[in-house]
Amino acid sequence: MQMEPSGQSFNTTEMLLETERKFIDAAKTNNVEAMRLWGQGLNINVRNVHNRTALHFAVAGNSQEAVSLLLLWRVKVDQRDNHGVAPIHLAAWFSCVAILKMLVRAGADQKILNNEGFNIFHCAAINNHTEILQYILEDLQMKELDKPDALGHTAFALAAERGCVEVLGMLMSPAYKMASTKPNKSGDTPLHLAAGNGHLDVVEMLLRSFETRDEGNMAEQTALYLAADSGYEECTRALLRAGCNPNIVTLTKRSPLHPVAERGDTSMLRLLLDYDAQTDFQDQHLEAPLHLAVKNYHIPAIFMLLEAGCNVHLADKRSQTAMHLAAELARVEIIEMLLKTGVDLTLCDKHNKTALGVAARADEVVIVDMVIKAERWNAWMLAHPEPNENLHSQRPLTFKLDHRQETKPFRSMVWHLTYQQLKPGDWKRLAEHWEFTKEQVEAIEEQWTGQHSYREHGNRMLLIWHHGVELASQSPSKELYQGLIQTSNRTVADRLRMHTEKGSNKYCNIS
């Protein structure tokens, strides 16, 4: 029996909530007749879950009739939603001039702020509404509304951030003189905000009108850095043409080249290099742009940095050079590019590992062999400072695996030799004879273990050796024959001679 009143009360509440919902929905759709129907005897200041009232929706919908009806019913004009937004903010935001005037006449607080510290002046400026600003400045005579928001942005700065050219032009005009280059709380000037958001027309306007160029924000980022970091090439070009310095580093020691190299933006990279951007700044982790390009596998960017003369020997906080990183990440194409620069392969990381040691530890067989080829080639070049002018005339320098058809007979012979004729230890005696270093032999031996692994080790060693012999324009078969003789392996040498005498391929000719 006692449940019935409670049930009736619950149903009444539900009916009331449904009526409120229909009233607000009518305001959302600017249905004035429905508002009149559902608003009879209702609290017209009712709010939805976001604390928005019917007046919020009527203003946002630019419905003068709906706003007029609500004002006639004595609606509260300064109610704010969960974001602190009052109806007068919406009138300025959506450029509802007539409604703004209605709200002002109804006593709306013209200085009211939302949660971001925006007043109606900010709301108009951020949306490029010059008519609203003109009304505020000329009719209301409220120039004092031009003050910083919660983050320290003036209306001029907000307009620059959003690319509002008309508002900027108005505020900069002699009639108002309200332009300001004052930074916000993060130290960003209007030029920072425009450049970091890619507003080229605004950037050019500010560069023409003000002397600000290389000022840094709280993170010591310049407008040029922000434009480059965000990938806005035309803004970056405009700033460089205006004399902005591409060699100013941030608080974290990053130059504009760092983010550009990190994402592999070759067009932006070329632009910065054309304006003499230095390639070798190291950030707080001691990473240079080359490190970042290598880590992210941006080959065209790496090529451009190498072409620009970057220092390939710079080491990061782990004492890793670009070569160490490429070896660790198994980037064959990058390894090839770096090896061709004559990079110093003796440099060690903090674990006392050379690039060869890093590759061997990572079981990167191809890279191990490439590095040893390069080490041996560099040593040969050092011992022969005036090489034959015909060197490399037949093929370009490369340290990659040899898949050429013309060397296939010799490579097949080497495979047959190492897998079917050489005994354990023979390959090491040959390696010692040909002056392979202890580290090189150990690096070869580190991959593959087992009773017969010496066969693969010998095959790899001979192919590495063949690379250098061929580059030096020597006869591979002749040198191999002599090497076998001098390491007390005449029987195998004689078999090799007999085999090669049957063939006519120049790579298998001993005499």
Side-chain angles (χ1 to χ4, degrees):
M1 296 289 294
Q2 293 180 352
M3 294 293 293
E4 187 174 336
S6 298
Q8 290 177 347
S9 175
F10 177 80
N11 291 335
T12 303
T13 302
E14 285 295 300
M15 290 177 59
L16 180 61
L17 291 175
E18 179 66 14
T19 303
E20 293 173 346
R21 184 186 64 76
K22 289 182 178 180
F23 177 66
I24 290 179
D25 285 347
K28 284 183 182 179
T29 57
N30 298 326
N31 189 334
V32 177
E33 291 304 317
M35 288 175 64
R36 288 195 178 98
L37 173 64
W38 298 111
Q40 295 294 327
L42 185 72
N43 175 15
I44 58 171
N45 296 307
V46 65
R47 302 164 179 259
N48 68 4
V49 293
H50 302 293
N51 269 329
R52 290 170 190 149
T53 66
L55 184 60
H56 282 91
F57 293 108
V59 173
N62 199 12
S63 174
Q64 295 183 43
E65 187 178 2
V67 171
S68 180
L69 176 64
L70 291 167
L71 292 176
L72 181 65
W73 286 349
R74 305 288 184 179
V75 68
K76 293 180 180 179
V77 294
D78 289 331
Q79 293 187 99
R80 302 195 301 167
D81 67 12
N82 290 345
H83 302 287
V85 175
I88 197 170
H89 292 123
L90 296 173
W93 190 274
F94 293 110
S95 193
C96 309
V97 180
I99 290 177
L100 179 60
K101 292 179 178 179
M102 292 168 63
L103 293 172
V104 169
R105 288 196 296 268
D109 182 357
Q110 299 155 40
K111 297 181 180 180
I112 193 170
L113 304 177
N114 70 5
N115 294 351
E116 297 178 85
F118 288 0
N119 57 36
I120 56 176
F121 198 83
H122 298 108
C123 292
I126 207 170
N127 289 287
N128 212 26
H129 297 323
T130 54
E131 189 176 1
I132 295 288
L133 292 182
Q134 188 174 10
Y135 169 69
I136 293 171
L137 294 173
E138 296 183 6
D139 291 17
L140 298 181
Q141 292 288 306
M142 295 190 70
K143 195 172 183 179
E144 68 271 19
L145 291 181
D146 183 27
K147 58 183 181 180
D149 65 9
L151 297 179
H153 298 103
T154 63
F156 187 81
L158 290 171
E161 184 178 35
R162 294 297 185 95
C164 302
V165 176
E166 288 78 9
V167 163
L168 292 172
M170 174 183 173
L171 296 178
M172 290 168 63
S173 68
Y176 297 104
K177 297 181 181 179
M178 298 176 69
S180 171
T181 58
K182 182 180 179 181
N184 62 17
K185 291 182 178 179
S186 298
D188 291 312
T189 66
L191 185 61
H192 283 94
L193 299 171
N197 287 281
H199 301 308
L200 176 61
D201 45 1
V202 175
V203 168
E204 291 176 335
M205 176 186 290
L206 295 173
L207 289 173
R208 287 194 302 267
S209 305
F210 303 100
E211 295 300 319
T212 54
R213 292 292 185 273
D214 293 326
E215 290 76 8
N217 58 19
M218 297 295 287
E220 296 184 17
Q221 299 164 328
T222 63
L224 176 61
Y225 180 89
L226 293 176
D229 184 31
S230 299
Y232 296 121
E233 185 174 342
E234 291 307 314
C235 285
T236 302
R237 190 186 309 279
L239 291 162
L240 288 168
R241 286 176 175 170
C244 291
N245 186 350
N247 294 313
I248 297 175
V249 297
T250 68
L251 195 62
T252 56
K253 308 301 181 185
R254 285 166 67 93
S255 74
L257 275 186
H258 279 87
V260 172
E262 191 167 25
R263 66 173 181 270
D265 188 341
T266 53
S267 181
M268 183 79 82
L269 187 60
R270 172 55 60 198
L271 175 61
L272 290 168
L273 291 174
D274 286 345
Y275 279 85
D276 299 321
Q278 296 180 27
T279 59
D280 297 330
F281 285 116
Q282 292 176 271
D283 64 17
Q284 62 182 350
H285 304 296
L286 299 183
E287 291 182 319
L290 181 62
H291 285 95
L292 300 176
V294 169
K295 286 173 69 173
N296 291 282
Y297 204 22
H298 297 312
I299 290 178
I302 295 168
F303 178 81
M304 292 176 67
L305 289 168
L306 293 176
E307 190 180 48
C310 70
N311 185 351
V312 296
H313 298 133
L314 292 175
D316 63 16
K317 66 180 181 181
R318 297 195 297 166
S319 298
Q320 289 189 313
T321 65
M323 187 70 193
H324 285 96
L325 284 174
E328 184 176 70
L329 298 171
R331 306 297 198 192
V332 173
E333 294 297 330
I334 299 175
I335 291 288
E336 173 85 346
M337 295 171 69
L338 294 172
L339 290 176
K340 287 182 178 180
T341 68
V343 61
D344 185 352
L345 296 171
T346 66
L347 298 177
C348 295
D349 63 15
K350 72 175 185 178
H351 300 295
N352 203 33
K353 292 284 187 182
T354 62
L356 177 60
V358 170
R361 180 183 58 195
D363 265 348
E364 297 297 340
V365 176
V366 172
I367 293 176
V368 166
D369 293 359
M370 290 175 68
V371 174
I372 297 176
K373 287 176 185 177
E375 286 180 336
R376 290 179 57 77
W377 174 241
N378 292 343
W380 191 91
M381 290 289 287
L382 189 63
H384 300 80
E386 297 179 1
N388 190 300
E389 61 183 12
N390 294 323
L391 217 56
H392 310 319
S393 61
Q394 294 185 354
R395 69 185 182 103
L397 178 65
T398 180
F399 300 98
K400 293 182 179 180
L401 290 173
D402 186 359
H403 296 296
R404 291 173 298 152
Q405 189 65 30
E406 61 265 32
T407 62
K408 186 175 181 180
F410 183 83
R411 289 185 282 112
S412 297
M413 181 185 70
V414 164
W415 186 92
H416 179 80
L417 178 68
T418 54
Y419 271 82
Q420 298 185 11
Q421 299 184 54
L422 293 183
K423 298 176 182 179
D426 286 350
W427 77 272
K428 287 187 178 181
R429 284 190 288 274
L430 281 169
E432 184 179 359
H433 171 70
W434 288 322
E435 298 181 344
F436 276 72
T437 67
K438 178 184 176 183
E439 290 74 17
Q440 290 167 353
V441 171
E442 289 177 348
I444 293 172
E445 203 170 21
E446 191 163 336
Q447 288 80 51
W448 291 299
T449 58
Q451 185 178 0
H452 301 293
S453 60
Y454 70 91
R455 296 170 176 171
E456 179 60 25
H457 298 153
N459 185 56
R460 286 170 57 202
M461 184 277 295
L462 280 172
L463 293 178
I464 293 169
W465 165 82
H466 172 252
H467 171 271
V469 169
E470 189 184 25
L471 283 177
S473 299
Q474 298 170 339
S475 168
S477 293
K478 182 177 180 180
E479 295 296 324
L480 177 56
Y481 175 81
Q482 293 176 350
L484 289 168
I485 293 292
Q486 294 173 23
T487 56
S488 303
N489 221 327
R490 176 171 287 278
T491 301
V492 177
D494 288 341
R495 289 175 188 165
L496 173 67
R497 185 183 186 94
M498 291 174 60
H499 174 77
T500 56
E501 284 177 349
K502 295 178 181 179
S504 59
N505 190 288
K506 67 178 180 177
Y507 289 96
C508 298
N509 189 2
I510 292 177
S511 58

